[in-house]
Amino acid sequence: FCDVPVLSELLPLLFSAWRVALPGLAAEERRCETGRLVDLLQRELLGVSDKVEARRLYAAHLPPFLPQLGLSLCASLPRLVEGACALLDEEVGAAASTPLRHPEAAPATVRRAFLAELPPVRGALALLAELLRSTWPRAHAHAPKALAHVLLMYVRIEAAYQKLPAQAGTAAEAGGG
């Protein structure tokens, strides 16, 4: 789903219903249904990565649900990691482009706008971290890719922060730095 009002209502309900229904299924049926849900989730993560509100809903609601899926996530881990990294890419890109979206704004306004973009970055990081935590037996095989990606995103955020205009009264404006 990419329709945000629908997604915002259905996503929490889907995860809540899953927690209730899953224990009542027979083992084989539980494995099959969990596999189908994981397949759906991996497609959804890649599909919503360029849709701001939808990706933020997934980043908010999915991490607490991942432990319910447990090791079933392992079979789809490469694509799930790819999807989580795509969400992180988009959020970091949004934060890094803050000065470009506010070219005429006062330095303090640009800084506030940049800081306002960081909670979604943290949400995307939390999703990736919980994905790896929930799949710990297989996560080590994907940890190098995830870690390299997280480090690159950190460098992008740091570079964007360094390019923010100085605030009034800083040492840089006073000629001290």
Side-chain angles (χ1 to χ4, degrees):
F1 290 110
C2 293
D3 184 16
V4 173
V6 173
L7 187 61
S8 67
E9 294 295 323
L10 290 182
L11 203 55
L13 292 174
L14 168 69
F15 294 155
S16 181
W18 187 264
R19 285 185 187 100
V20 172
L22 187 65
L25 299 177
E28 181 60 28
E29 196 176 17
R30 188 170 43 243
R31 186 192 62 73
C32 181
E33 291 303 319
T34 301
R36 286 181 32 193
L37 180 60
V38 170
D39 287 344
L40 173 68
L41 288 174
Q42 71 182 0
R43 285 191 309 272
E44 284 291 304
L45 286 179
L46 291 170
V48 301
S49 66
D50 63 342
K51 294 157 186 71
V52 176
E53 295 89 2
R55 74 173 176 254
R56 291 180 180 171
L57 284 169
Y58 271 96
H61 294 288
L62 194 51
F65 180 66
L66 290 175
Q68 298 290 317
L69 299 173
L71 298 180
S72 300
L73 296 167
C74 291
S76 301
L77 194 53
R79 290 202 37 127
L80 288 167
V81 167
E82 179 184 344
C85 286
L87 295 184
L88 181 58
D89 270 349
E90 292 293 332
E91 294 301 352
V92 168
S97 69
T98 300
L100 301 175
R101 292 192 315 272
H102 304 280
E104 304 298 322
T109 302
V110 174
R111 286 181 167 282
R112 279 193 302 276
F114 179 79
L115 293 175
E117 293 288 344
L118 294 183
V121 172
R122 283 194 299 273
L125 279 169
L127 174 60
L128 182 57
E130 187 56 47
L131 178 60
L132 293 174
R133 204 175 3 264
S134 295
T135 57
W136 62 267
R138 298 260 325 269
H140 69 280
H142 305 282
K145 176 184 178 171
L147 183 57
H149 200 81
V150 167
L151 290 174
L152 177 61
M153 295 303 106
Y154 175 81
V155 169
R156 284 180 63 195
I157 287 288
E158 179 63 22
Y161 180 77
Q162 294 301 323
K163 291 179 183 176
L164 290 177
Q167 288 182 302
T170 63
E173 284 188 345

